[in-house]
Amino acid sequence: MKRILAFFLTVCLCLGIIPAGAVFANDKLTAENGYIAVSSAADGSSFGINTLKGNPSKRFDDNKPLLYDGDDKFSTSYTTVRIEKYLANNQKDIRDYVYGSSKGTFETPPHKYALNEENDVIESVWTVDGVKITQQLIINKNTATNHGGYVNIRYKYVNNNQESVGVGVRILLDTKIAENDG
C-alpha cells in the first residue's frame, strides 16, 4: 500500500496535479531585474545577492552569487543593530543584535512590492528592545540605464521606548569572489 501511495504521489507531482509549492515550502523571496537578483530568507533574517546575466564579455559569470548564500543559508552576510540606552551617571547599556535573530520579533513577514516605477523592494519589519527596524532590499528594474545592476540596502528605525536611545546599524557583506573562500 505504501509503495502504491508513493508511486501515485510521484506521478501527481510530475504531472503538476499537486503543485510543488504545496509540498515544499518556499524558503526565500526574490526580486530581480534580469541582470541581478536579491533574495531574502522567508523569515526575513538574512539575504543574498546573485547575478542573473553577468558581464557580457565573460562566458561563465551568469547565475553567480555575489554574496555567500544558498548552502550556508545566507549566514555569513548579516546586519548588526546596536542599541544604546542612557542610564544614570553617564552610563550606557549597550546591546548588539543580529537583524532577524530570535532576540526580537517580526512585525510583518517579508513582502515584495513596487516602490515606484523603477524599483522593487523586499521589506521586513523587526522589533527588538523597543526599537522597530525596517529593512528594505531595493532593486532597480530599469536595465536600460547604467543603474540597472545594483541592490540598495536601506534601514529605517523608530524608537518606541519612553527614553531616548542611540541606534547604530552595521551591514556585513561577505562577498563571494571566485570559488575559493580562503
Side-chain angles (χ1 to χ4, degrees):
M1 185 65 171
K2 288 181 185 179
R3 287 183 186 183
I4 294 171
L5 181 59
F7 175 76
F8 176 74
L9 288 174
T10 302
V11 170
C12 289
L13 186 61
C14 290
L15 293 175
I17 297 171
I18 300 174
V23 179
F24 301 102
N26 189 1
D27 62 343
K28 63 184 177 180
L29 186 62
T30 301
E32 55 95 3
N33 66 2
Y35 290 96
I36 193 167
V38 61
S39 298
S40 172
D43 63 0
S45 62
S46 53
F47 60 88
I49 302 171
N50 298 322
T51 66
L52 297 175
K53 291 183 183 176
N55 185 335
S57 65
K58 296 184 180 182
R59 289 179 52 191
F60 301 109
D61 71 340
D62 291 353
N63 300 308
K64 298 290 183 185
L66 297 175
L67 302 176
Y68 278 92
D69 64 354
D71 291 340
D72 64 3
K73 310 252 188 289
F74 310 117
S75 64
T76 58
S77 294
Y78 57 90
T79 301
T80 303
V81 177
R82 172 170 282 183
I83 299 176
E84 297 180 356
K85 292 189 177 183
Y86 305 104
L87 306 173
N89 301 329
N90 292 330
Q91 298 291 327
K92 293 181 185 177
D93 178 20
I94 300 173
R95 298 186 186 199
D96 292 333
Y97 304 96
V98 174
Y99 183 88
S101 70
S102 61
K103 301 286 184 187
T105 57
F106 278 99
E107 290 189 9
T108 58
H111 59 284
K112 183 174 130 180
Y113 63 92
L115 187 63
N116 53 41
E117 288 182 10
E118 289 196 358
N119 297 288
D120 280 341
V121 64
I122 298 173
E123 182 177 271
S124 58
V125 180
W126 183 69
T127 299
V128 66
D129 212 3
V131 178
K132 179 170 79 171
I133 300 115
T134 302
Q135 173 183 270
Q136 293 181 326
L137 307 170
I138 304 167
I139 192 158
N140 187 291
K141 294 186 291 190
N142 184 355
T143 59
T145 71
N146 292 333
H147 305 292
Y150 71 87
V151 175
N152 184 359
I153 304 165
R154 181 185 302 168
Y155 290 90
K156 302 179 205 175
Y157 59 88
V158 175
N159 178 19
N160 292 321
N161 293 291
Q162 294 294 327
E163 66 277 351
S164 295
V165 298
V167 177
V169 174
R170 181 194 75 162
I171 304 170
L172 176 65
L173 301 176
D174 187 5
T175 57
K176 184 168 186 174
I177 300 172
E179 299 299 320
N180 183 354
D181 190 28

